[in-house]
Amino acid sequence: FDWQSVKIKIFRAFYIYLNCCVYQIKFLLLQIKYKDMQRIRIKKDIVDSLLKDGKNYDEIAQIIGVNRNSVGRFCRKHYGCLEDRGKSTRQSIDITNTQKQILFGGLLGDFCLSPHNKTFRGAVNHSVKQIEYAKYLHNSLNNIVGVFREIKVKANNKIYNECNFTIKPNTQLENLYNDFYKDFGGKKDVPYDLSLLTPLAISVWFMDDGFLLNNGHSKTLGFSTCNFSLEGLLRLQKFLKEQYSIETIIRKNFYLIVKKSSSFTLRNLIS
């Protein structure tokens, strides 16, 4: 009987057991420390304020510096059912007139809105080449939008770098949704009421869907409006001429081209 080998095996087993105990103690200490951090960091008055500002769990977690699930558990413990957590408040945040103009111009461009339960929400997507413009939009709409993200999107076997953010569910988006979608059976078109098409809205619209054609000897300004109906484009054309003295031409591809005689007027309006 080889006592030496038995001793070695016993020593190894004891060493492994001791290491397991050490790791378990470290894990328990980390759990205690983490729970203490949650108690210190998540304070009801701070969460109350953030909920009233329309922040969601992801945004609250990011601001406070904790895990999203911790915020969810905290809210369930302190507020109970969804109605008591300020959800109705978050979904009826006031939209300023400036923000309405930005949304109006964006909806003439690439912004989109859709129904969501009893509210309305939207999304904004841009190439990273327009990241400064996208950040401007995000900052201007800061209290009614979600987190700004930079992502990679695969399409047609290519990888595209994009930046985007969501427009949070809000009952006060109903009028804009009705103007752009509901009045036309759910498909986006130019609203009948264009009173929100201010110089600011036109600037946002141009940054979204405007273009400059350089033909060598001349430069032409225009808007990509091919998804709108002819009737909608005629409404736009009439409003721009009567309100801002900007004359346009509707091309066969439904692009709205600004006449050379009005290019300077449009430049001054949006600069």
Side-chain angles (χ1 to χ4, degrees):
F1 190 77
D2 188 358
W3 280 104
Q4 188 66 26
S5 61
V6 172
K7 287 179 181 179
I8 292 172
K9 288 179 181 179
I10 292 172
F11 176 78
R12 285 177 178 173
F14 178 74
Y15 180 76
I16 292 171
Y17 173 75
L18 190 63
N19 276 334
C20 288
C21 289
V22 169
Y23 282 118
Q24 191 170 11
I25 291 168
K26 286 182 177 179
F27 180 72
L28 289 171
L29 289 172
L30 282 173
Q31 278 190 318
I32 293 169
K33 183 180 178 182
Y34 182 71
K35 286 180 180 178
D36 288 339
M37 287 172 66
Q38 301 309 316
R39 282 196 291 269
I40 293 170
R41 288 182 174 177
I42 302 182
K43 295 181 180 180
K44 191 171 183 300
D45 57 337
I46 295 175
V47 175
D48 281 343
S49 175
L50 292 172
L51 286 174
K52 287 177 182 178
D53 288 341
K55 304 297 183 185
N56 58 32
Y57 288 170
D58 289 317
E59 293 168 320
I60 293 173
Q62 189 176 18
I63 291 168
I64 297 176
V66 297
N67 186 276
R68 183 193 186 279
N69 293 332
S70 300
V71 176
R73 287 193 296 269
F74 179 89
C75 289
R76 285 191 292 273
K77 178 180 177 182
H78 289 84
Y79 302 102
C81 62
L82 280 173
E83 287 74 14
D84 296 330
R85 288 186 230 160
K87 185 176 182 180
S88 59
T89 302
R90 297 199 303 275
Q91 292 185 343
S92 60
I93 297 174
D94 287 336
I95 301 175
T96 67
N97 190 52
T98 299
Q99 289 175 329
K100 287 178 183 177
Q101 293 173 43
I102 291 173
L103 290 170
F104 195 92
L107 285 166
L108 285 173
D110 296 325
F111 287 26
C112 64
L113 288 179
S114 61
H116 178 67
N117 296 328
K118 295 181 180 180
T119 66
F120 301 86
R121 63 182 178 182
V124 180
N125 295 277
H126 283 287
S127 165
V128 290
K129 294 178 181 178
Q130 289 183 292
I131 191 167
E132 293 304 320
Y133 166 62
K135 285 182 177 179
Y136 160 76
L137 293 175
H138 187 264
N139 291 335
S140 300
L141 304 171
N142 61 348
N143 63 320
I144 60 170
V145 295
V147 178
F148 186 90
R149 301 185 305 161
E150 293 182 46
I151 59 173
K152 292 183 182 295
V153 178
K154 187 175 181 180
N156 300 323
N157 295 320
K158 291 184 179 180
I159 302 295
Y160 298 92
N161 295 315
E162 293 186 356
C163 49
N164 65 23
F165 57 88
T166 58
I167 301 171
K168 295 177 186 177
N170 196 329
T171 55
Q172 296 200 24
L173 292 170
E174 183 175 6
N175 288 338
L176 282 170
Y177 176 81
N178 291 342
D179 289 345
F180 277 91
Y181 293 89
K182 191 175 180 179
D183 290 348
F184 308 101
K187 183 180 179 181
K188 188 166 77 168
D189 206 342
V190 179
Y192 294 111
D193 180 7
L194 292 170
S195 57
L196 281 172
L197 190 55
T198 61
L200 173 59
I202 294 173
S203 300
V204 172
W205 177 29
F206 188 81
M207 287 298 295
D208 251 46
D209 268 355
F211 58 81
L212 173 66
L213 290 177
N214 192 343
N215 300 322
H217 59 281
S218 63
K219 295 180 180 179
T220 304
L221 297 173
F223 296 90
S224 300
T225 49
C226 51
N227 290 325
F228 294 140
S229 67
L230 177 59
E231 292 78 10
L233 294 183
L234 289 171
R235 285 194 293 275
L236 269 176
Q237 191 177 48
K238 181 181 178 182
F239 183 85
L240 290 171
K241 183 178 180 179
E242 292 179 352
Q243 192 71 21
Y244 300 111
S245 300
I246 295 174
E247 296 190 56
T248 56
I249 301 168
I250 301 172
R251 288 271 178 88
K252 288 182 180 180
N253 55 8
F254 277 28
Y255 278 19
L256 197 65
I257 304 299
V258 179
K259 288 186 177 181
K260 292 179 183 179
S261 58
S262 297
S263 293
F264 187 72
T265 306
L266 176 61
R267 288 172 185 265
N268 282 343
L269 190 70
I270 63 179
S271 60

